[in-house]
Amino acid sequence: MDIGIEVHVQLNTKSKIFCSCSNAQTQVPNLNICPICAGYPGVLPVLNKQVVEFAVMAGLGTNCEISEVSEFDRKHYFYPDLPKNYQITQNDFPICRNGYVMIRLEDGSTKKIRINRIHIEEDAGKNTHSDYTGESFVDLNRTGTPLIEIVTETDIDNAEQARAYLKALRTIMQYLGVSTCNMEEGSFRADTNLSVRKKDSAELGTRCELKNINSFKFIGDAIEYEAERQILAVMNGEKIVQETRLWDSKNRVSVSMRKKEGMADYRFFTDPDLALVKVTPELLAHVQANFPEMPFPKFDRYKQQFNLSDYEAEIITSDLALTQYFDALMACHESKSATNWLLRDVLGALKEQKVTIEEFKVTPDKLAMLIKFVEDGVINNKVAKEVFDLIAKEGGNPAEIIESKGLKQIGSADELEAIVKEVFAQNPHLVEEYKAGKQNLFGFFVGACMKATHGNGDPKLLQALVKKYLS
Ligand SMILES: [Zn+2]
């Protein structure tokens, strides 16, 4: 199986690519438009410098060669949401070429997925069709939104690798801060080209394109289905038709959408309204100087600096917001137990509450405070978890909650000794039985003493005291 993936990433620049209209998302149709992005004849596009910077960042983040000179072309097609009837894109001279993205597979091995090219282009608008009135509407807010299209070689062999590649690429774009990469909003859209061939055949088979699937899981499902469909067709001697197919996630089948146009149909030619794009050494130096640490180097650093396992480092580095939380937590309280709290309790709570880590009420400083209280013997682990759950739901400060609810551990030996004495005085017959050989009563005594402290006793100290009194 040969799989190549094209990803469109919406850049989160302030203004659009060729005009000064706002690039912010809005629900009000046709709010952020002007004669340039609405495609009036006779207007002149002016390239947004930030788009070039972001594209160069994306290129460096995917180990590409950055073209000193690239140019814009017109790609012609008719669509109601593209009034000027051509899309401005880069055809023969894209801004980046020959890169690669490293992916990590489930068995821990890594693989290099080569990037053929990255080019800059503008997005089209959106059509909506009303089932009730039979009318169609055109919303041009999205026209002129800057996109980069990232195209791989056909290095991907199966659904697992496709998912790993998309996750790795999205993480890189998030780290770079060039896009929100929100798949539901369409900021990160993947088209998957898939073909099959016999093992001994060097020639690629006819490919089908799976278009705009907005979840990693669905993309994996669609690849598995499509591979099987094509293999069956080839085995039955049928010809694969080059076409675009949609994934029906409800019925779990891919369906034909349209036959693919050949390249010639687009009638590409250089856009005469736009100058060549030059990436100067100064621009390159500026981008390099502000370049953030990428996921793979961060993975290695975390493992070494914080003694994380591959598994732990992989989870944390796969999400930028999670690395920021982790960094803040380590700055407050660097310890293995803090990492464990993050991976077990914080991630668990996020899933349960369906909130993002930025919205989470137990901030890194509050979590560090809780862990410190446990280590200092102020509260035990069980109480810490209760306070954690409470803050996660209602907010609040750990120190105040512990104080106001009287959750402090009964830590002094005197207090505990009195409790132990009391428990023993109430159960003289059990003490006799223990001394007669019923060793498993030890656990009962510890439990009874803990209960008498309402769960706030220091378990280690209690055990020591029970042992002392029974001997
Ligand atoms: Zn505009």
Side-chain angles (χ1 to χ4, degrees), residues 98-161:
N98 301 329
Y100 65 87
V101 167
M102 294 301 294
I103 60 170
R104 196 172 283 111
L105 300 169
E106 275 157 27
D107 64 3
S109 65
T110 56
K111 181 174 177 180
K112 191 185 262 190
I113 306 296
R114 286 172 301 153
I115 303 291
N116 174 287
R117 60 187 277 154
I118 299 179
H119 60 259
I120 303 172
E121 60 187 29
E122 60 178 346
D123 209 346
K126 233 183 233 172
N127 296 323
T128 42
H129 311 284
S130 168
D131 287 340
Y132 300 106
T133 65
E135 291 170 295
S136 290
F137 303 93
V138 183
D139 176 5
L140 297 180
N141 278 334
R142 208 178 61 183
T143 56
T145 294
L147 301 176
I148 48 172
E149 183 171 344
I150 304 167
V151 183
T152 68
E153 302 287 355
T154 50
D155 286 351
I156 298 161
D157 297 331
N158 54 42
E160 188 208 342
Q161 291 180 16

Side-chain angles (χ1 to χ4, degrees), residues 16 18-22 32-38 143:
K16 292 187 179 180
F18 297 122
C19 61
S20 56
C21 290
S22 166
N32 298 328
I33 64 172
C34 72
I36 294 176
C37 55
T143 56

Side-chain angles (χ1 to χ4, degrees), residues 17 28 42 78 95 104 119 148 197 217 240 266 276 278 289 303-304 363 418:
I17 182 167
V28 187
F78 172 76
I95 188 153
R104 196 172 283 111
H119 60 259
I148 48 172
R197 62 179 148 142
K217 186 187 174 303
I240 307 275
Y266 292 127
L276 296 175
K278 285 199 174 141
K303 271 179 63 180
Q304 219 184 15
T363 49

Side-chain angles (χ1 to χ4, degrees), residues 249-461:
S249 58
K250 215 163 134 200
N251 297 310
R252 300 174 58 84
V253 292
S254 70
V255 286
S256 178
M257 186 171 94
R258 58 179 145 92
K259 303 277 175 283
K260 189 83 181 160
E261 298 110 58
M263 285 300 269
D265 295 341
Y266 292 127
R267 287 171 197 85
F268 282 102
F269 68 76
T270 306
D271 193 310
D273 289 342
L274 284 157
L276 296 175
V277 181
K278 285 199 174 141
V279 177
T280 59
E282 291 77 35
L283 175 71
L284 205 56
H286 170 72
V287 172
Q288 274 162 339
N290 298 293
F291 206 70
E293 186 181 32
M294 288 286 94
F296 261 64
K298 204 188 268 295
F299 173 92
D300 291 334
R301 179 169 69 79
Y302 274 0
K303 271 179 63 180
Q304 219 184 15
Q305 188 176 346
F306 303 111
N307 197 20
L308 302 186
S309 67
D310 281 6
Y311 172 76
E312 292 166 338
E314 172 70 16
I315 293 181
I316 296 172
T317 56
S318 68
D319 185 278
L320 180 64
L322 201 53
T323 66
Q324 287 161 348
Y325 189 101
F326 178 72
D327 287 340
L329 182 62
M330 289 298 117
C332 295
H333 193 282
E334 190 179 326
S335 68
K336 199 74 201 168
S337 68
T339 308
N340 292 340
W341 272 91
L342 172 61
L343 292 173
R344 187 188 53 215
D345 304 281
V346 175
L347 293 187
L350 293 180
K351 214 170 189 182
E352 201 183 295
Q353 297 189 354
K354 296 191 173 67
V355 293
T356 65
I357 199 156
E358 289 106 324
E359 297 161 339
F360 192 50
K361 293 200 174 86
V362 188
T363 49
D365 56 322
K366 287 178 182 173
L367 178 57
M369 219 189 274
L370 266 181
I371 297 166
K372 190 104 188 10
F373 281 141
V374 174
E375 286 173 358
D376 293 348
V378 178
I379 54 174
N380 61 32
N381 258 314
K382 192 171 140 283
V383 171
K385 180 72 170 97
E386 283 165 22
V387 176
F388 175 89
D389 289 342
L390 190 73
I391 300 175
K393 282 197 189 81
E394 298 166 14
N397 179 287
E400 281 165 20
I401 291 171
I402 291 165
E403 194 62 49
S404 69
K405 292 195 181 277
L407 295 172
K408 264 192 191 150
Q409 189 156 258
I410 300 173
S412 82
D414 290 350
E415 280 173 282
L416 285 180
E417 198 153 356
I419 287 168
V420 173
K421 264 188 191 160
E422 177 75 27
V423 169
F424 276 71
Q426 281 167 1
N427 300 287
H429 56 290
L430 292 177
V431 178
E432 290 302 316
E433 282 182 35
Y434 178 84
K435 286 185 173 159
K438 237 181 154 181
Q439 297 283 317
N440 56 359
L441 279 171
F442 182 78
F444 162 81
F445 283 114
V446 174
C449 292
M450 186 55 109
K451 204 171 162 195
T453 68
H454 303 288
N456 295 337
D458 178 342
K460 273 193 199 134
L461 202 54

